[in-house]
Amino acid sequence: MTDVPEKRYRKRATGWLNEIAREVAEVSHPESHGNLSRILPVAAGTAIALVVILIAVLWIVVTILSGFKAPNQQAVSGLLTAAISMTALIGASLGAVYAFRKQLIAEREGVRAEQQVYSDRFVKAAELLAHERPSARLAGLHSLTSLADDWSQGRQSCAQAIASYLRLPPPEDPGEREVRRTAWKSVHDRLMDPNAPTSWHREELDFSGGTYHVVDLDGAKLHDVRVSFRDCVFSDGELRLRNVDMDDGVIDFTGSTFTNMKVLMGGMRLNGGSHIFLDLTEITDSDFYPIAVKIAGEASIKVRESQIRKSNFKFDADDIVSYMFQRKYSIISGEIDFSSSTLRDVSIPMHTYTLDAGRLVFDNAATDNFHLSAPGTMKGHVYVNIDVRSVGPTTIRIGPGEINGGDLRIRPEEGVPATLSVDFTAYKVLGGEIMVQAIQNVWKKFRFDHDGEIAGTLNFNLPFPNGVEVDIDVDQEDIYNVRRPYRRRRPSPKAISKGGPDSGDTASTATD
């Protein structure tokens, strides 16, 4: 029966000690908001409890070691000395906990004070940015950018505030131009070095819905950055994107309007999964200059379902010097896509470009007074789709140049009769396949002038409609025709050794 009260006592003692441990843990935790005065009674209670427990434990140990005899006076004195020493050690430990806790709270209070200073600076800068005087707005802008450099936790808020200001319609004020120029410079400077501690490469930059005349992001490095210009109005100015280096970055102009704009894109580099979206845009009286642009990997420029009038996409430079030297920098391994767009009074010269296993797509694009000069060199597994819907004069020039892999397709949709002209000039077919759908009534002229031996496949669906001007400088047997499936057999090495491809041993074979 004596075991029952003893078990209850042990259970109560254990619960009491656990409660003390919880109290110590609570007041020692750096995130606790309890009163510091609780430290002292808890520490005192803990010390007394530990003294009693230590004396009892030591008493039992000494009793066992002395053969269950009552300890003598010397042993008792040793017990008390040991208990007091342990209590002092525990007290010192609790004092250290108290000091550490006090330091943490002081640091937290310092952080709160610092955050409050930053918040006050933000409010004052925002108030200045809304001021009626341009000089005050300029001061507010400088304050915000300086605050963004100092306040890493609030950098996104500062960037959003500047973007929100730029989205507002510009006031009728002569000094506003300088304010906005400074704002764009602040954005530009913080996109130059992704590794800088004050970089905005981890922030969301949303300028959607604004009206802009001059935007300068020349030389920016957009690495894992998304810059949004959705549903914006660009008019009577310049959008400067020269030498922008994109790596998994995105510039999104979806739904925007461009009127009387110059979009300078020379020297851009699109790497990885970088994209420029111009989908659903309206472009009028504007010129885009993507000169010497490199589009690599999965990168792309997409201009789908857009309305483009009296505008140009000048991939080739206007001046002869730039034209001659841009070729080695003008490479498309990614994609350019004008699918389902309307192109009226539009010119797209891109003959200096090399399509290196890239894609060029004009699928179902409606063309009227449209001129395209396709990339001169197409190599690797390219895909070129010029399946346009000609509703007005449309001229497509291919060459001088070559193709040595992939597909080049010209299969026009239904359109206005006698409006489509295609001219292959001094073109080398070293591989791949050229597909031409000749039976539509949109054809006006088709000329194919090849250079050298044809090593690829010519898949021409003949004949052309009556009245079409046709000049095909190819033997009929070199054409794989849907109506007459014949193509020239490549000579075997044995035949070449006897006389080569010109020896007359070039029998034709039927293919599927």
Side-chain angles (χ1 to χ4, degrees):
M1 296 296 293
T2 58
D3 292 340
V4 175
E6 184 176 357
K7 290 180 179 179
R8 290 179 179 175
Y9 173 79
R10 289 178 181 175
K11 186 175 181 180
R12 289 178 182 175
T14 302
W16 180 57
L17 290 174
N18 288 337
E19 183 65 22
I20 292 176
R22 282 194 295 269
E23 290 286 335
V24 173
E26 179 182 351
V27 298
S28 302
H29 196 278
E31 298 299 327
S32 173
H33 297 284
N35 194 331
L36 287 177
S37 61
R38 297 172 60 189
I39 288 284
L40 295 177
V42 171
T46 302
I48 294 172
L50 290 176
V51 169
V52 174
I53 293 172
L54 284 172
I55 292 175
V57 171
L58 292 174
W59 185 282
I60 294 172
V61 171
V62 172
T63 301
I64 294 174
L65 293 177
S66 62
F68 294 95
K69 295 180 180 180
N72 55 30
Q73 185 176 1
Q74 184 178 1
V76 171
S77 177
L79 288 175
L80 292 175
T81 301
I84 293 172
S85 299
M86 293 296 294
T87 303
L89 178 62
I90 294 172
S93 300
L94 291 175
V97 171
Y98 174 77
F100 179 65
R101 168 64 179 167
K102 188 175 181 180
Q103 179 182 357
L104 288 178
I105 289 187
E107 290 178 356
R108 187 167 63 243
E109 293 299 327
V111 170
R112 287 177 180 173
E114 184 180 23
Q115 294 297 322
Q116 185 61 45
V117 171
Y118 287 143
S119 297
D120 293 342
R121 287 175 61 185
F122 181 84
V123 171
K124 292 178 181 178
E127 290 175 351
L128 285 173
L129 202 57
H131 202 278
E132 61 181 9
R133 289 189 293 110
S135 58
R137 296 197 296 272
L138 195 60
L141 184 61
H142 285 300
S143 297
L144 269 179
T145 53
S146 176
L147 178 59
D149 293 342
D150 298 337
W151 189 19
S152 59
Q153 293 180 343
R155 188 166 295 152
Q156 178 65 57
S157 298
C158 296
Q160 286 179 339
I162 294 174
S164 298
Y165 178 78
L166 289 170
R167 286 197 299 264
L168 295 173
E172 297 295 333
D173 193 321
E176 180 61 20
R177 178 178 297 182
E178 178 62 20
V179 176
R180 294 192 171 243
R181 188 196 66 80
T182 303
W184 282 116
K185 187 177 185 302
S186 300
V187 176
H188 172 271
D189 291 349
R190 284 154 185 81
L191 292 175
M192 295 300 291
D193 184 1
N195 299 317
T198 58
S199 168
W200 286 8
H201 283 77
R202 290 165 293 277
E203 316 309 327
E204 180 182 351
L205 301 176
D206 188 359
F207 305 99
S208 299
T211 298
Y212 306 108
H213 302 297
V214 177
V215 175
D216 187 355
L217 294 177
D218 279 351
K221 292 178 174 57
L222 305 182
H223 297 181
D224 296 306
V225 177
R226 185 182 187 93
V227 183
S228 294
F229 288 97
R230 297 172 67 94
D231 302 314
C232 292
V233 175
F234 296 90
S235 63
D236 304 313
E238 288 186 349
L239 173 57
R240 300 165 187 161
L241 301 172
R242 290 167 296 198
N243 299 312
V244 168
D245 184 4
M246 300 177 64
D247 192 351
D248 292 324
V250 173
I251 305 178
D252 189 358
F253 296 101
T254 300
S256 293
T257 300
F258 295 82
T259 305
N260 193 28
M261 285 291 295
K262 283 186 177 181
V263 182
L264 308 176
M265 306 168 66
M268 291 189 72
R269 296 290 180 266
L270 281 69
N271 299 304
S274 297
H275 303 283
I276 297 177
F277 292 109
L278 287 156
D279 299 331
L280 301 171
T281 53
E282 294 186 10
I283 302 173
T284 306
D285 295 319
S286 298
D287 289 325
F288 288 67
Y289 294 88
I291 298 170
V293 171
K294 181 180 179 182
I295 305 174
E298 300 297 321
S300 69
I301 298 177
K302 298 184 183 295
V303 199
R304 300 168 297 188
E305 299 184 52
S306 298
Q307 300 292 322
I308 308 174
R309 294 179 293 272
K310 298 180 180 180
S311 300
N312 303 290
F313 281 77
K314 297 184 177 183
F315 290 82
D316 291 341
D318 289 331
D319 63 283
I320 187 64
V321 176
S322 299
Y323 181 89
M324 295 299 294
F325 285 97
Q326 79 169 85
R327 184 180 297 274
K328 66 178 181 179
Y329 304 107
S330 307
I331 301 173
I332 302 171
S333 299
E335 181 180 51
I336 296 178
D337 190 354
F338 284 86
S339 294
S340 301
S341 290
T342 298
L343 307 168
R344 284 190 169 89
D345 301 308
V346 172
S347 176
I348 304 180
M350 53 192 316
H351 179 256
T352 57
Y353 269 75
T354 294
L355 197 63
D356 187 359
R359 294 167 56 88
L360 178 63
V361 183
F362 288 86
D363 185 39
N364 197 37
T367 58
D368 183 5
N369 196 22
F370 171 70
H371 301 271
L372 168 66
S373 178
T377 302
M378 304 181 189
K379 63 182 182 179
H381 194 69
V382 302
Y383 177 77
V384 180
N385 182 327
I386 314 180
D387 297 348
V388 299
R389 181 162 49 90
S390 180
V391 296
T394 299
T395 302
I396 297 170
R397 181 177 179 179
I398 303 173
E402 64 182 48
I403 181 173
N404 66 9
D407 298 328
L408 193 166
R409 305 180 182 186
I410 306 175
R411 303 171 301 178
E413 305 286 341
E414 292 283 352
V416 175
T419 55
L420 176 61
S421 299
V422 175
D423 188 353
F424 285 83
T425 303
Y427 205 64
K428 297 178 181 179
V429 184
L430 307 178
E433 182 176 14
I434 299 177
M435 305 174 63
V436 177
Q437 182 81 7
I439 61 175
Q440 299 292 354
N441 65 350
V442 297
W443 287 97
K444 178 181 180 181
K445 176 183 177 181
F446 180 80
R447 178 173 178 264
F448 188 88
D449 173 29
H450 77 92
D451 182 10
E453 187 70 17
I454 294 177
T457 302
L458 302 182
N459 186 347
F460 294 173
N461 186 1
L462 302 174
F464 284 89
N466 293 331
V468 177
E469 181 183 344
V470 180
D471 181 7
I472 302 178
D473 183 23
V474 179
D475 293 338
Q476 187 68 39
E477 60 185 8
D478 281 316
I479 301 175
Y480 170 67
N481 193 343
V482 173
R483 294 194 316 111
R484 296 181 55 199
Y486 292 97
R487 59 185 295 196
R488 177 174 294 177
R489 177 195 295 169
R490 296 185 184 181
S492 65
K494 184 177 180 181
I496 294 175
S497 66
K498 291 182 178 181
D502 296 328
S503 64
D505 187 10
T506 55
S508 299
T509 59
T511 59
D512 295 331

